[in-house]
């Protein structure tokens, strides 16, 4: 079974631009969670989607948004990029027959210049 | 302060030595996950513990969740260079809807294994 995939793997953007990251969960998984990882703050939860609905949200500004499609694929969008948004963005899927374990993708490395 | 504290922050051991990493919370943990990460890459799922007193093993790695469900330990027996990486504990803190899909992570333990 294929794992969680994320595209693109690397991205360089300029301050003020917006960016969209994509996550395809493991087949059969209906929950997708997004995390931001930085050296200073570590891994922080952004939001979680289940059956196209956002069920949980972390403490991030409204510039960070997401959505989930009927096939469980998810996207997250960051508008008006700031230098501090440079990070590794990870998505995780869960909810298959195995239960609640979250399986992570390889991440998207975003650099804002 | 961190909701989930890991110790030590870094660990350097000689190949063949045993080691333990701890993960402590001031709140009850409803699910405790251990992951391994190579720098800049995704997290590799190791084990999940839910019941107080639960212990799971995979190859040379054993994880335990204490009876009160507020502390977990990860023990590696006869460490090898392939064990090197960043070990992260993640937990569901808070029951019900507040924890949907949300894991709170410790700051990580950097493990170096010298051959």
């Amino acid at each position: 079974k294929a794992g969680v995939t994320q595209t693109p793997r690397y991205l360089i953007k300029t301050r003020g631009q917006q960016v969209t990251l994509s996550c395809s969960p493991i087949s059969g998984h209906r929950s997708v969670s997004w995390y931001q990882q930085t050296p200073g703050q570590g891994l922080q939860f952004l939001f979680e989607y289940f059956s196209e609905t956002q069920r949980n949200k972390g403490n991030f500004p409204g510039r960070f948004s997401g959505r989930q499609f009927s096939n469980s694929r998810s996207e997250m969008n960051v508008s008006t990029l700031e230098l501090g948004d440079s990070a590794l963005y990870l998505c995780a899927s869960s909810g298959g027959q195995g239960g609640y374990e979250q399986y992570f993708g390889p991440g998207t490395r975003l650099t804002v210049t | 302060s961190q909701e989930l504290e890991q110790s030590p922050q870094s660990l350097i051991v000689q190949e063949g030595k045993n080691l333990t990493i701890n993960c402590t919370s001031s709140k009850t943990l409803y699910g405790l996950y251990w992951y391994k990460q190579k720098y800049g890459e995704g997290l590799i799922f190791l084990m999940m513990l839910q019941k107080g007193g639960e212990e799971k093993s995979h190859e040379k790695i054993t994880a335990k969740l204490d009876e009160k469900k507020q502390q977990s330990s990860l023990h590696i027996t006869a460490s090898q260079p392939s064990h090197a990486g960043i070990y992260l504990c993640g937990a569901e803190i808070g029951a019900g809807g507040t924890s949907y899909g949300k894991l709170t992570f410790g700051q990580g333990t950097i493990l170096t294994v010298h051959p």
Side-chain angles (χ1 to χ4, degrees):
Chain A
K1 199 181 250 190
V4 178
T5 58
Q6 291 187 245
T7 56
R9 291 293 312 279
Y10 303 92
L11 210 46
I12 300 175
K13 290 286 188 179
T14 305
R15 264 186 310 174
Q17 288 185 316
Q18 76 165 19
V19 67
T20 299
L21 312 181
S22 180
C23 173
S24 292
I26 292 171
S27 178
H29 286 192
R30 296 169 65 188
S31 168
V32 174
S33 298
W34 287 90
Y35 295 85
Q36 181 196 65
Q37 186 177 35
T38 60
Q41 299 298 318
L43 263 166
Q44 293 187 293
F45 173 77
L46 282 157
F47 29 66
E48 186 257 6
Y49 286 86
F50 180 87
S51 292
E52 302 179 65
T53 300
Q54 185 183 90
R55 293 195 301 183
N56 206 352
K57 190 176 188 302
N59 295 324
F60 279 82
R63 300 185 296 107
F64 292 82
S65 63
R67 58 177 176 169
Q68 186 181 35
F69 302 94
S70 58
N71 62 357
S72 295
R73 189 178 71 85
S74 177
E75 289 181 346
M76 68 162 280
N77 184 277
V78 188
S79 62
T80 319
L81 283 166
E82 300 177 0
L83 294 178
D85 296 333
S86 295
L88 182 66
Y89 289 88
L90 294 158
C91 79
S93 75
S94 66
Q97 290 186 350
Y100 300 106
E101 295 93 343
Q102 289 194 13
Y103 293 91
F104 283 77
T108 294
R109 169 72 63 185
L110 172 64
T111 302
V112 182
T113 62
Chain B
S1 63
Q2 292 265 357
E3 285 189 279
L4 219 52
E5 293 280 349
Q6 272 187 248
S7 63
Q9 290 189 351
S10 64
L11 200 49
I12 302 173
V13 300
Q14 206 66 33
E15 183 177 0
K17 295 295 185 184
N18 303 336
L19 63 104
T20 300
I21 299 169
N22 294 302
C23 179
T24 304
S25 171
S26 58
K27 301 178 182 177
T28 299
L29 306 173
Y30 290 90
L32 190 288
Y33 301 71
W34 284 100
Y35 291 91
K36 179 185 175 185
Q37 184 181 32
K38 294 285 189 182
Y39 182 76
E41 299 179 7
L43 278 63
I44 299 168
F45 174 79
L46 295 175
M47 274 170 277
M48 174 189 173
L49 306 164
Q50 281 188 302
K51 301 175 185 175
E54 188 174 11
E55 180 175 321
K56 287 186 177 178
S57 294
H58 177 67
E59 297 180 343
K60 294 185 178 180
I61 300 176
T62 301
K64 302 177 186 179
L65 183 61
D66 77 351
E67 291 288 345
K68 293 184 179 178
K69 295 171 65 176
Q70 288 190 287
Q71 185 173 27
S72 178
S73 60
L74 184 83
H75 185 77
I76 299 177
T77 304
S79 58
Q80 300 169 349
S82 60
H83 287 129
I86 304 168
Y87 287 82
L88 290 146
C89 65
E92 297 168 38
I93 299 177
T98 61
S99 64
Y100 282 141
K102 175 183 178 180
L103 293 181
T104 298
F105 284 88
Q107 72 273 38
T109 296
I110 302 171
L111 173 63
T112 303
V113 181
H114 287 309

PDB file of all heavy atoms in Angstrom, chain B residues 55-87:
ATOM      1  N   GLU B  55       3.006  -2.181  27.199  1.00  0.00           N
ATOM      2  CA  GLU B  55       4.379  -2.260  26.722  1.00  0.00           C
ATOM      3  C   GLU B  55       4.359  -2.923  25.356  1.00  0.00           C
ATOM      4  O   GLU B  55       3.683  -3.931  25.152  1.00  0.00           O
ATOM      5  CB  GLU B  55       5.234  -3.088  27.696  1.00  0.00           C
ATOM      6  CG  GLU B  55       6.682  -3.231  27.279  1.00  0.00           C
ATOM      7  CD  GLU B  55       7.527  -3.953  28.331  1.00  0.00           C
ATOM      8  OE1 GLU B  55       7.312  -3.709  29.534  1.00  0.00           O
ATOM      9  OE2 GLU B  55       8.380  -4.759  27.929  1.00  0.00           O
ATOM     10  N   LYS B  56       5.100  -2.320  24.414  1.00  0.00           N
ATOM     11  CA  LYS B  56       5.195  -2.897  23.071  1.00  0.00           C
ATOM     12  C   LYS B  56       6.649  -2.946  22.633  1.00  0.00           C
ATOM     13  O   LYS B  56       7.445  -2.087  23.018  1.00  0.00           O
ATOM     14  CB  LYS B  56       4.397  -2.052  22.059  1.00  0.00           C
ATOM     15  CG  LYS B  56       2.903  -2.191  22.190  1.00  0.00           C
ATOM     16  CD  LYS B  56       2.185  -1.457  21.079  1.00  0.00           C
ATOM     17  CE  LYS B  56       0.682  -1.655  21.181  1.00  0.00           C
ATOM     18  NZ  LYS B  56      -0.043  -0.905  20.121  1.00  0.00           N
ATOM     19  N   SER B  57       6.968  -3.941  21.836  1.00  0.00           N
ATOM     20  CA  SER B  57       8.338  -4.089  21.344  1.00  0.00           C
ATOM     21  C   SER B  57       8.333  -4.323  19.849  1.00  0.00           C
ATOM     22  O   SER B  57       7.408  -4.941  19.300  1.00  0.00           O
ATOM     23  CB  SER B  57       9.024  -5.274  22.028  1.00  0.00           C
ATOM     24  OG  SER B  57       9.199  -5.032  23.393  1.00  0.00           O
ATOM     25  N   HIS B  58       9.347  -3.790  19.216  1.00  0.00           N
ATOM     26  CA  HIS B  58       9.557  -4.039  17.785  1.00  0.00           C
ATOM     27  C   HIS B  58      11.051  -4.095  17.574  1.00  0.00           C
ATOM     28  O   HIS B  58      11.753  -3.107  17.782  1.00  0.00           O
ATOM     29  CB  HIS B  58       8.945  -2.949  16.928  1.00  0.00           C
ATOM     30  CG  HIS B  58       9.190  -3.136  15.465  1.00  0.00           C
ATOM     31  ND1 HIS B  58       8.642  -4.177  14.753  1.00  0.00           N
ATOM     32  CD2 HIS B  58       9.950  -2.443  14.600  1.00  0.00           C
ATOM     33  CE1 HIS B  58       9.033  -4.095  13.499  1.00  0.00           C
ATOM     34  NE2 HIS B  58       9.826  -3.058  13.363  1.00  0.00           N
ATOM     35  N   GLU B  59      11.509  -5.260  17.165  1.00  0.00           N
ATOM     36  CA  GLU B  59      12.947  -5.508  17.002  1.00  0.00           C
ATOM     37  C   GLU B  59      13.634  -5.139  18.313  1.00  0.00           C
ATOM     38  O   GLU B  59      13.336  -5.701  19.336  1.00  0.00           O
ATOM     39  CB  GLU B  59      13.459  -4.745  15.789  1.00  0.00           C
ATOM     40  CG  GLU B  59      12.782  -5.248  14.514  1.00  0.00           C
ATOM     41  CD  GLU B  59      13.230  -4.551  13.244  1.00  0.00           C
ATOM     42  OE1 GLU B  59      13.823  -3.457  13.331  1.00  0.00           O
ATOM     43  OE2 GLU B  59      12.988  -5.117  12.166  1.00  0.00           O
ATOM     44  N   LYS B  60      14.529  -4.219  18.324  1.00  0.00           N
ATOM     45  CA  LYS B  60      15.276  -3.929  19.557  1.00  0.00           C
ATOM     46  C   LYS B  60      14.744  -2.710  20.299  1.00  0.00           C
ATOM     47  O   LYS B  60      15.403  -2.183  21.190  1.00  0.00           O
ATOM     48  CB  LYS B  60      16.752  -3.727  19.216  1.00  0.00           C
ATOM     49  CG  LYS B  60      17.417  -4.995  18.692  1.00  0.00           C
ATOM     50  CD  LYS B  60      18.897  -4.798  18.474  1.00  0.00           C
ATOM     51  CE  LYS B  60      19.544  -6.088  18.001  1.00  0.00           C
ATOM     52  NZ  LYS B  60      21.003  -5.914  17.770  1.00  0.00           N
ATOM     53  N   ILE B  61      13.552  -2.274  19.947  1.00  0.00           N
ATOM     54  CA  ILE B  61      12.981  -1.090  20.570  1.00  0.00           C
ATOM     55  C   ILE B  61      11.743  -1.473  21.374  1.00  0.00           C
ATOM     56  O   ILE B  61      10.856  -2.154  20.861  1.00  0.00           O
ATOM     57  CB  ILE B  61      12.608  -0.035  19.507  1.00  0.00           C
ATOM     58  CG1 ILE B  61      13.850   0.372  18.718  1.00  0.00           C
ATOM     59  CG2 ILE B  61      11.970   1.184  20.177  1.00  0.00           C
ATOM     60  CD1 ILE B  61      13.568   1.346  17.586  1.00  0.00           C
ATOM     61  N   THR B  62      11.713  -1.029  22.636  1.00  0.00           N
ATOM     62  CA  THR B  62      10.587  -1.298  23.527  1.00  0.00           C
ATOM     63  C   THR B  62      10.058   0.012  24.077  1.00  0.00           C
ATOM     64  O   THR B  62      10.840   0.869  24.504  1.00  0.00           O
ATOM     65  CB  THR B  62      11.023  -2.190  24.707  1.00  0.00           C
ATOM     66  OG1 THR B  62      11.534  -3.417  24.206  1.00  0.00           O
ATOM     67  CG2 THR B  62       9.839  -2.475  25.635  1.00  0.00           C
ATOM     68  N   ALA B  63       8.753   0.167  24.059  1.00  0.00           N
ATOM     69  CA  ALA B  63       8.135   1.367  24.615  1.00  0.00           C
ATOM     70  C   ALA B  63       7.135   0.965  25.682  1.00  0.00           C
ATOM     71  O   ALA B  63       6.448  -0.049  25.562  1.00  0.00           O
ATOM     72  CB  ALA B  63       7.444   2.176  23.520  1.00  0.00           C
ATOM     73  N   LYS B  64       7.073   1.790  26.740  1.00  0.00           N
ATOM     74  CA  LYS B  64       6.151   1.527  27.842  1.00  0.00           C
ATOM     75  C   LYS B  64       5.373   2.790  28.169  1.00  0.00           C
ATOM     76  O   LYS B  64       5.887   3.893  28.061  1.00  0.00           O
ATOM     77  CB  LYS B  64       6.912   1.095  29.095  1.00  0.00           C
ATOM     78  CG  LYS B  64       7.784  -0.119  28.940  1.00  0.00           C
ATOM     79  CD  LYS B  64       8.547  -0.400  30.241  1.00  0.00           C
ATOM     80  CE  LYS B  64       9.542  -1.540  30.067  1.00  0.00           C
ATOM     81  NZ  LYS B  64      10.310  -1.796  31.314  1.00  0.00           N
ATOM     82  N   LEU B  65       4.148   2.603  28.631  1.00  0.00           N
ATOM     83  CA  LEU B  65       3.337   3.714  29.110  1.00  0.00           C
ATOM     84  C   LEU B  65       3.023   3.402  30.566  1.00  0.00           C
ATOM     85  O   LEU B  65       2.507   2.334  30.878  1.00  0.00           O
ATOM     86  CB  LEU B  65       2.042   3.832  28.297  1.00  0.00           C
ATOM     87  CG  LEU B  65       1.104   4.989  28.633  1.00  0.00           C
ATOM     88  CD1 LEU B  65       1.788   6.333  28.422  1.00  0.00           C
ATOM     89  CD2 LEU B  65      -0.169   4.900  27.793  1.00  0.00           C
ATOM     90  N   ASP B  66       3.337   4.321  31.459  1.00  0.00           N
ATOM     91  CA  ASP B  66       3.161   4.001  32.876  1.00  0.00           C
ATOM     92  C   ASP B  66       1.686   3.904  33.253  1.00  0.00           C
ATOM     93  O   ASP B  66       0.797   4.300  32.492  1.00  0.00           O
ATOM     94  CB  ASP B  66       3.915   4.999  33.763  1.00  0.00           C
ATOM     95  CG  ASP B  66       3.202   6.325  33.903  1.00  0.00           C
ATOM     96  OD1 ASP B  66       2.207   6.580  33.198  1.00  0.00           O
ATOM     97  OD2 ASP B  66       3.656   7.149  34.728  1.00  0.00           O
ATOM     98  N   GLU B  67       1.454   3.363  34.459  1.00  0.00           N
ATOM     99  CA  GLU B  67       0.080   3.074  34.895  1.00  0.00           C
ATOM    100  C   GLU B  67      -0.790   4.321  34.919  1.00  0.00           C
ATOM    101  O   GLU B  67      -1.973   4.274  34.611  1.00  0.00           O
ATOM    102  CB  GLU B  67       0.100   2.441  36.292  1.00  0.00           C
ATOM    103  CG  GLU B  67       0.690   1.043  36.340  1.00  0.00           C
ATOM    104  CD  GLU B  67      -0.216  -0.015  35.726  1.00  0.00           C
ATOM    105  OE1 GLU B  67      -1.410   0.261  35.523  1.00  0.00           O
ATOM    106  OE2 GLU B  67       0.276  -1.122  35.442  1.00  0.00           O
ATOM    107  N   LYS B  68      -0.206   5.436  35.310  1.00  0.00           N
ATOM    108  CA  LYS B  68      -0.980   6.680  35.407  1.00  0.00           C
ATOM    109  C   LYS B  68      -1.121   7.375  34.054  1.00  0.00           C
ATOM    110  O   LYS B  68      -1.787   8.413  33.953  1.00  0.00           O
ATOM    111  CB  LYS B  68      -0.308   7.631  36.395  1.00  0.00           C
ATOM    112  CG  LYS B  68      -0.328   7.144  37.836  1.00  0.00           C
ATOM    113  CD  LYS B  68       0.274   8.188  38.766  1.00  0.00           C
ATOM    114  CE  LYS B  68       0.241   7.718  40.212  1.00  0.00           C
ATOM    115  NZ  LYS B  68       0.861   8.705  41.133  1.00  0.00           N
ATOM    116  N   LYS B  69      -0.513   6.827  33.040  1.00  0.00           N
ATOM    117  CA  LYS B  69      -0.600   7.362  31.678  1.00  0.00           C
ATOM    118  C   LYS B  69      -0.123   8.801  31.598  1.00  0.00           C
ATOM    119  O   LYS B  69      -0.731   9.648  30.940  1.00  0.00           O
ATOM    120  CB  LYS B  69      -2.033   7.237  31.151  1.00  0.00           C
ATOM    121  CG  LYS B  69      -2.481   5.800  30.990  1.00  0.00           C
ATOM    122  CD  LYS B  69      -3.961   5.695  30.669  1.00  0.00           C
ATOM    123  CE  LYS B  69      -4.288   6.302  29.340  1.00  0.00           C
ATOM    124  NZ  LYS B  69      -5.706   6.113  28.977  1.00  0.00           N
ATOM    125  N   GLN B  70       0.968   9.091  32.297  1.00  0.00           N
ATOM    126  CA  GLN B  70       1.532  10.427  32.209  1.00  0.00           C
ATOM    127  C   GLN B  70       3.001  10.401  31.812  1.00  0.00           C
ATOM    128  O   GLN B  70       3.609  11.443  31.667  1.00  0.00           O
ATOM    129  CB  GLN B  70       1.359  11.168  33.546  1.00  0.00           C
ATOM    130  CG  GLN B  70      -0.090  11.566  33.800  1.00  0.00           C
ATOM    131  CD  GLN B  70      -0.227  12.505  34.972  1.00  0.00           C
ATOM    132  OE1 GLN B  70      -0.088  12.083  36.119  1.00  0.00           O
ATOM    133  NE2 GLN B  70      -0.505  13.762  34.697  1.00  0.00           N
ATOM    134  N   GLN B  71       3.562   9.214  31.632  1.00  0.00           N
ATOM    135  CA  GLN B  71       4.952   9.102  31.252  1.00  0.00           C
ATOM    136  C   GLN B  71       5.159   7.857  30.407  1.00  0.00           C
ATOM    137  O   GLN B  71       4.558   6.812  30.640  1.00  0.00           O
ATOM    138  CB  GLN B  71       5.849   9.037  32.491  1.00  0.00           C
ATOM    139  CG  GLN B  71       7.326   9.029  32.165  1.00  0.00           C
ATOM    140  CD  GLN B  71       8.186   9.125  33.415  1.00  0.00           C
ATOM    141  OE1 GLN B  71       7.768   8.718  34.496  1.00  0.00           O
ATOM    142  NE2 GLN B  71       9.380   9.679  33.271  1.00  0.00           N
ATOM    143  N   SER B  72       6.034   8.021  29.407  1.00  0.00           N
ATOM    144  CA  SER B  72       6.387   6.886  28.568  1.00  0.00           C
ATOM    145  C   SER B  72       7.902   6.841  28.416  1.00  0.00           C
ATOM    146  O   SER B  72       8.581   7.871  28.497  1.00  0.00           O
ATOM    147  CB  SER B  72       5.730   7.003  27.193  1.00  0.00           C
ATOM    148  OG  SER B  72       6.109   5.918  26.365  1.00  0.00           O
ATOM    149  N   SER B  73       8.413   5.648  28.199  1.00  0.00           N
ATOM    150  CA  SER B  73       9.839   5.503  27.957  1.00  0.00           C
ATOM    151  C   SER B  73      10.044   4.664  26.705  1.00  0.00           C
ATOM    152  O   SER B  73       9.227   3.782  26.381  1.00  0.00           O
ATOM    153  CB  SER B  73      10.526   4.847  29.152  1.00  0.00           C
ATOM    154  OG  SER B  73       9.985   3.557  29.383  1.00  0.00           O
ATOM    155  N   LEU B  74      11.117   4.973  26.004  1.00  0.00           N
ATOM    156  CA  LEU B  74      11.517   4.229  24.814  1.00  0.00           C
ATOM    157  C   LEU B  74      12.907   3.676  25.093  1.00  0.00           C
ATOM    158  O   LEU B  74      13.827   4.445  25.409  1.00  0.00           O
ATOM    159  CB  LEU B  74      11.548   5.140  23.587  1.00  0.00           C
ATOM    160  CG  LEU B  74      11.859   4.450  22.251  1.00  0.00           C
ATOM    161  CD1 LEU B  74      10.585   3.835  21.691  1.00  0.00           C
ATOM    162  CD2 LEU B  74      12.456   5.419  21.253  1.00  0.00           C
ATOM    163  N   HIS B  75      13.045   2.375  25.011  1.00  0.00           N
ATOM    164  CA  HIS B  75      14.310   1.734  25.329  1.00  0.00           C
ATOM    165  C   HIS B  75      14.848   1.026  24.091  1.00  0.00           C
ATOM    166  O   HIS B  75      14.122   0.268  23.442  1.00  0.00           O
ATOM    167  CB  HIS B  75      14.092   0.726  26.464  1.00  0.00           C
ATOM    168  CG  HIS B  75      15.350   0.087  26.943  1.00  0.00           C
ATOM    169  ND1 HIS B  75      16.241   0.733  27.766  1.00  0.00           N
ATOM    170  CD2 HIS B  75      15.873  -1.144  26.687  1.00  0.00           C
ATOM    171  CE1 HIS B  75      17.259  -0.083  28.005  1.00  0.00           C
ATOM    172  NE2 HIS B  75      17.056  -1.209  27.378  1.00  0.00           N
ATOM    173  N   ILE B  76      16.109   1.278  23.789  1.00  0.00           N
ATOM    174  CA  ILE B  76      16.763   0.600  22.667  1.00  0.00           C
ATOM    175  C   ILE B  76      17.853  -0.306  23.232  1.00  0.00           C
ATOM    176  O   ILE B  76      18.724   0.152  23.992  1.00  0.00           O
ATOM    177  CB  ILE B  76      17.368   1.601  21.658  1.00  0.00           C
ATOM    178  CG1 ILE B  76      16.256   2.479  21.063  1.00  0.00           C
ATOM    179  CG2 ILE B  76      18.108   0.866  20.553  1.00  0.00           C
ATOM    180  CD1 ILE B  76      16.751   3.553  20.098  1.00  0.00           C
ATOM    181  N   THR B  77      17.794  -1.532  22.860  1.00  0.00           N
ATOM    182  CA  THR B  77      18.773  -2.521  23.325  1.00  0.00           C
ATOM    183  C   THR B  77      19.833  -2.737  22.258  1.00  0.00           C
ATOM    184  O   THR B  77      19.513  -2.843  21.073  1.00  0.00           O
ATOM    185  CB  THR B  77      18.069  -3.857  23.610  1.00  0.00           C
ATOM    186  OG1 THR B  77      17.019  -3.640  24.551  1.00  0.00           O
ATOM    187  CG2 THR B  77      19.047  -4.880  24.157  1.00  0.00           C
ATOM    188  N   ALA B  78      21.077  -2.782  22.696  1.00  0.00           N
ATOM    189  CA  ALA B  78      22.201  -3.041  21.775  1.00  0.00           C
ATOM    190  C   ALA B  78      22.124  -2.126  20.560  1.00  0.00           C
ATOM    191  O   ALA B  78      21.938  -2.581  19.423  1.00  0.00           O
ATOM    192  CB  ALA B  78      22.212  -4.506  21.355  1.00  0.00           C
ATOM    193  N   SER B  79      22.259  -0.834  20.799  1.00  0.00           N
ATOM    194  CA  SER B  79      22.082   0.171  19.756  1.00  0.00           C
ATOM    195  C   SER B  79      23.022  -0.059  18.568  1.00  0.00           C
ATOM    196  O   SER B  79      24.134  -0.583  18.709  1.00  0.00           O
ATOM    197  CB  SER B  79      22.312   1.569  20.333  1.00  0.00           C
ATOM    198  OG  SER B  79      23.602   1.659  20.888  1.00  0.00           O
ATOM    199  N   GLN B  80      22.541   0.372  17.392  1.00  0.00           N
ATOM    200  CA  GLN B  80      23.309   0.261  16.153  1.00  0.00           C
ATOM    201  C   GLN B  80      23.310   1.626  15.471  1.00  0.00           C
ATOM    202  O   GLN B  80      22.427   2.449  15.725  1.00  0.00           O
ATOM    203  CB  GLN B  80      22.648  -0.767  15.240  1.00  0.00           C
ATOM    204  CG  GLN B  80      22.544  -2.155  15.828  1.00  0.00           C
ATOM    205  CD  GLN B  80      21.649  -3.062  14.999  1.00  0.00           C
ATOM    206  OE1 GLN B  80      20.947  -2.613  14.090  1.00  0.00           O
ATOM    207  NE2 GLN B  80      21.676  -4.337  15.318  1.00  0.00           N
ATOM    208  N   PRO B  81      24.263   1.881  14.584  1.00  0.00           N
ATOM    209  CA  PRO B  81      24.273   3.169  13.859  1.00  0.00           C
ATOM    210  C   PRO B  81      22.952   3.447  13.143  1.00  0.00           C
ATOM    211  O   PRO B  81      22.572   4.605  12.988  1.00  0.00           O
ATOM    212  CB  PRO B  81      25.431   2.993  12.876  1.00  0.00           C
ATOM    213  CG  PRO B  81      26.374   2.069  13.579  1.00  0.00           C
ATOM    214  CD  PRO B  81      25.485   1.088  14.303  1.00  0.00           C
ATOM    215  N   SER B  82      22.241   2.407  12.738  1.00  0.00           N
ATOM    216  CA  SER B  82      20.959   2.603  12.052  1.00  0.00           C
ATOM    217  C   SER B  82      19.891   3.165  12.983  1.00  0.00           C
ATOM    218  O   SER B  82      18.857   3.650  12.524  1.00  0.00           O
ATOM    219  CB  SER B  82      20.462   1.277  11.462  1.00  0.00           C
ATOM    220  OG  SER B  82      20.276   0.321  12.492  1.00  0.00           O
ATOM    221  N   HIS B  83      20.120   3.126  14.281  1.00  0.00           N
ATOM    222  CA  HIS B  83      19.166   3.709  15.234  1.00  0.00           C
ATOM    223  C   HIS B  83      19.308   5.220  15.350  1.00  0.00           C
ATOM    224  O   HIS B  83      18.457   5.878  15.937  1.00  0.00           O
ATOM    225  CB  HIS B  83      19.351   3.097  16.628  1.00  0.00           C
ATOM    226  CG  HIS B  83      18.857   1.682  16.729  1.00  0.00           C
ATOM    227  ND1 HIS B  83      19.628   0.664  17.232  1.00  0.00           N
ATOM    228  CD2 HIS B  83      17.659   1.137  16.396  1.00  0.00           C
ATOM    229  CE1 HIS B  83      18.931  -0.463  17.199  1.00  0.00           C
ATOM    230  NE2 HIS B  83      17.743  -0.218  16.700  1.00  0.00           N
ATOM    231  N   ALA B  84      20.363   5.772  14.803  1.00  0.00           N
ATOM    232  CA  ALA B  84      20.602   7.213  14.917  1.00  0.00           C
ATOM    233  C   ALA B  84      19.491   8.013  14.248  1.00  0.00           C
ATOM    234  O   ALA B  84      18.962   7.623  13.215  1.00  0.00           O
ATOM    235  CB  ALA B  84      21.942   7.568  14.306  1.00  0.00           C
ATOM    236  N   GLY B  85      19.156   9.125  14.860  1.00  0.00           N
ATOM    237  CA  GLY B  85      18.109   9.986  14.328  1.00  0.00           C
ATOM    238  C   GLY B  85      17.493  10.792  15.440  1.00  0.00           C
ATOM    239  O   GLY B  85      18.020  10.861  16.547  1.00  0.00           O
ATOM    240  N   ILE B  86      16.356  11.390  15.146  1.00  0.00           N
ATOM    241  CA  ILE B  86      15.619  12.175  16.137  1.00  0.00           C
ATOM    242  C   ILE B  86      14.393  11.373  16.561  1.00  0.00           C
ATOM    243  O   ILE B  86      13.593  10.966  15.719  1.00  0.00           O
ATOM    244  CB  ILE B  86      15.185  13.533  15.554  1.00  0.00           C
ATOM    245  CG1 ILE B  86      16.401  14.295  15.030  1.00  0.00           C
ATOM    246  CG2 ILE B  86      14.444  14.358  16.615  1.00  0.00           C
ATOM    247  CD1 ILE B  86      16.044  15.500  14.178  1.00  0.00           C
ATOM    248  N   TYR B  87      14.254  11.147  17.840  1.00  0.00           N
ATOM    249  CA  TYR B  87      13.100  10.413  18.353  1.00  0.00           C
ATOM    250  C   TYR B  87      12.118  11.409  18.963  1.00  0.00           C
ATOM    251  O   TYR B  87      12.479  12.248  19.782  1.00  0.00           O
ATOM    252  CB  TYR B  87      13.541   9.369  19.386  1.00  0.00           C
ATOM    253  CG  TYR B  87      14.242   8.212  18.717  1.00  0.00           C
ATOM    254  CD1 TYR B  87      15.590   8.302  18.380  1.00  0.00           C
ATOM    255  CD2 TYR B  87      13.550   7.049  18.381  1.00  0.00           C
ATOM    256  CE1 TYR B  87      16.228   7.259  17.726  1.00  0.00           C
ATOM    257  CE2 TYR B  87      14.181   6.003  17.731  1.00  0.00           C
ATOM    258  CZ  TYR B  87      15.521   6.112  17.398  1.00  0.00           C
ATOM    259  OH  TYR B  87      16.150   5.088  16.746  1.00  0.00           O
TER     260      TYR B  87
END
